[in-house]
Amino acid sequence: MSKSSDIIARDGKVSSPSLTRELPFVFRKGHGCHVWDADGKHYLDFTACIAVNSIGHDNPVIRKAILRQIKDGIHCAFSDFYAETPVRLAEKLLEFMPGFQKVFLCNSGTESVEAAYKLARWHSDRTWTIAFQGAFHGRTMGALSMTNSRAVQRERFGPFLPVVHTPYPYPYRMKMEPEECSQHCLGLLEERMNAMRDDLSAVFMEPVQGEGGYIVPPESFVKGVRKLCSEYGALLCDDEVQAGCFRTGKFLAMENFGVKPDIVSLSKAIGGGIPLGAMVSTDAIMDWPKGAHANTFGGNLLACAGGIAALDFMRQKKLGENAIRVGKIILKGLESMKGDRIVDVRGIGLMIGFELCTPAERNRVLLQAMKKGLLLLPAGDASVRICPPLTLTRGEALKGLEILEGCL
Ligand code: PLP
């Protein structure tokens, strides 16, 4: 029995069966954009372990930052005491986000969305929220009430919080031109907003829909959502957990559409691999009182030291510019493969999705690519996502495309 098979068999006995594994990849170690499985087989990593390892696996800046911090302490109870490292992280985050002044630190994506949801409810003192069909915002009950990407994620967990879902523009599936699709979805959104009028707290939106299929909305749609939120007095809550931190070239993906949200949720890449989340807003909006929201591990010293190092590295190495440059190479390569197997290609920077003709064909391609040494992840019903470390080079991108072409 191979080492990987042995670990998978032992995992089956002790791990929750609710986890979402699609591929039999067993992580052993990683370096840069490369990973090795438990049997020593090498793979090019086009997943960054779900858009987390944006600065590459085993980046020495993270290792050094953590070791430096460990000498002084690991945990400081930031909800109850004060410490400089979390304050430095918040200051650094705000340097990337002009117009925002306040940060709530937490440990994961779902927690940063949960915090945004609670802040929106508290600040507006209103009841209802709108989210999008196909959205993934996390799995705690507030975030799950807005999540709507797969039936199994919600089954048996109701009743949910007061959330209404409305279509997200998906031109390929909705069989519409992008502009027509944008206007159609904006019309439906306004109908729902009208129905709630003075009791609508917020609209939650992924600037590029992630788990739903790596769907890029038309610019007019994102601008339209902003305009409607302002007209109806609803807060625009921007879930940047997957799309943020330079994955689409800009620090926030929403900047690509020239839109400023009211509340932002961040996680995944900001910790450089250490669990870290942040909910960011303005002085005026983050006006809740002492005790309204807090946590035990938010501001954890190791997580914050990792976050500071990751953000510094992203800025110094201009990873946003690299994401755009290398992303264009991948998009061009995928466009040239479009045909009866790959039926749609979309993306910004290194957040790229391509849709296969059927879910079965998508699953076949994922497995085949893995066998040939390219690690990919699914998204939506029949799409594949490409979200490699933002350090990906032109050569690595071309190698990945070559492997992928061999799978078609
Ligand atoms: N929001 C988005 C857009 C995500 O992609 C995810 C996770 O994939 C989450 C929230 C939830 O994050 P976590 O799994 O860290 O709770």
Side-chain angles (χ1 to χ4, degrees):
M1 193 191 244
S2 69
K3 181 97 177 137
S4 294
S5 306
D6 172 54
I7 293 171
I8 290 172
R10 284 163 49 207
D11 176 282
K13 291 187 187 144
V14 296
S15 294
S16 165
S18 63
L19 302 182
T20 56
R21 284 75 171 265
E22 304 278 353
L23 294 169
F25 170 70
V26 180
F27 184 94
R28 161 83 181 82
K29 64 175 184 179
H31 187 77
C33 299
H34 304 265
V35 288
W36 286 262
D37 72 13
D39 296 293
K41 180 172 155 61
H42 164 259
Y43 304 79
L44 188 53
D45 178 17
F46 268 22
T47 73
C49 291
I50 331 188
V52 169
N53 294 315
S54 283
I55 61 169
H57 293 266
D58 187 32
N59 191 315
V61 300
I62 294 289
R63 222 182 310 129
K64 279 188 204 142
I66 291 171
L67 287 175
R68 225 177 9 246
Q69 180 59 54
I70 265 179
K71 287 192 197 131
D72 289 333
I74 294 174
H75 179 69
C76 68
F78 191 59
S79 276
D80 293 270
F81 304 129
Y82 298 87
E84 188 177 6
T85 308
V87 173
R88 269 184 36 232
L89 171 65
E91 288 167 348
K92 194 156 289 286
L93 255 179
L94 293 170
E95 282 171 25
F96 290 96
M97 300 175 66
F100 293 90
Q101 299 89 29
K102 284 277 189 295
V103 180
F104 173 82
L105 293 172
C106 54
N107 313 284
S108 67
T110 198
E111 217 191 317
S112 69
V113 171
E114 203 73 29
Y117 177 81
K118 285 182 68 180
L119 177 62
R121 292 279 309 261
W122 200 93
H123 177 75
S124 67
D125 200 13
R126 293 178 175 187
T127 314
W128 286 87
T129 298
I130 294 181
F132 289 96
Q133 285 164 12
F136 188 86
H137 293 295
R139 296 172 187 271
T140 50
M141 283 309 285
L144 180 62
S145 299
M146 295 185 289
T147 286
N148 194 266
S149 67
R150 283 204 237 160
V152 66
Q153 292 158 352
R154 293 170 64 88
E155 216 168 74
R156 297 201 197 181
F157 294 126
F160 296 105
L161 293 173
V163 176
V164 165
H165 289 92
T166 187
Y168 191 88
Y170 190 170
Y172 176 76
R173 281 288 171 93
M174 292 164 92
K175 298 188 172 36
M176 287 181 192
E177 287 303 314
E179 258 333 286
E180 183 193 1
C181 193
S182 165
Q183 296 313 317
H184 171 74
C185 292
L186 284 172
L188 292 172
L189 172 63
E190 189 163 14
E191 265 177 34
R192 283 152 177 77
M193 288 175 123
N194 246 321
M196 297 165 199
R197 274 253 151 228
D198 297 335
D199 208 16
L200 175 61
S201 150
V203 174
F204 273 74
M205 174 173 191
E206 292 166 88
V208 175
Q209 210 172 63
E211 306 293 314
Y214 272 36
I215 304 157
V216 184
E219 184 174 322
S220 63
F221 181 75
V222 188
K223 285 200 152 83
V225 174
R226 172 69 276 179
K227 188 162 169 281
L228 285 172
C229 282
S230 302
E231 280 171 22
Y232 283 77
L235 294 163
L236 176 54
C237 297
D238 176 18
D239 183 345
E240 298 266 350
V241 167
Q242 190 152 173
C245 292
F246 296 114
R247 179 147 294 281
T248 66
K250 308 279 188 199
F251 185 70
L252 296 183
M254 212 164 253
E255 292 174 50
N256 290 293
F257 307 102
V259 165
K260 184 176 177 287
D262 298 306
I263 303 178
V264 179
S265 299
L266 288 158
S267 187
K268 289 197 187 280
I270 49 166
I274 318 282
L276 179 63
M279 184 272 282
V280 182
S281 191
T282 61
D283 275 329
I285 295 170
M286 208 181 290
D287 59 351
W288 48 14
K290 186 171 177 167
H293 195 59
N295 54 13
T296 296
F297 281 113
N300 175 270
L301 299 173
L302 288 194
C304 292
I308 292 166
L311 290 172
D312 278 341
F313 186 85
M314 288 179 201
R315 174 148 54 191
Q316 276 160 15
K317 299 290 174 187
K318 297 187 167 55
L319 292 192
E321 289 170 31
N322 192 58
I324 294 292
R325 200 168 37 240
V326 181
K328 279 186 183 151
I329 296 168
I330 297 182
L331 278 170
K332 193 169 160 216
L334 289 171
E335 281 292 343
S336 73
M337 293 180 213
K338 237 164 115 176
D340 50 5
R341 294 262 174 81
I342 291 186
V343 292
D344 195 38
V345 173
R346 54 215 176 215
I348 318 181
L350 281 170
M351 185 164 190
I352 298 174
F354 60 94
E355 185 145 344
L356 276 301
C357 50
T358 61
E361 177 61 7
R362 189 272 308 275
N363 294 345
R364 189 196 66 78
V365 167
L366 286 179
L367 202 58
Q368 186 74 5
M370 188 189 145
K371 282 186 186 149
K372 289 176 182 278
L374 175 66
L375 210 53
L376 292 164
L377 279 170
D381 292 338
S383 299
V384 173
R385 64 180 114 175
I386 294 182
C387 51
L390 305 183
T391 53
L392 193 77
T393 63
R394 180 175 186 274
E396 288 164 336
L398 292 174
K399 180 70 193 162
L401 287 168
E402 185 191 316
I403 297 176
L404 181 63
E405 194 156 26
C407 302
L408 300 169

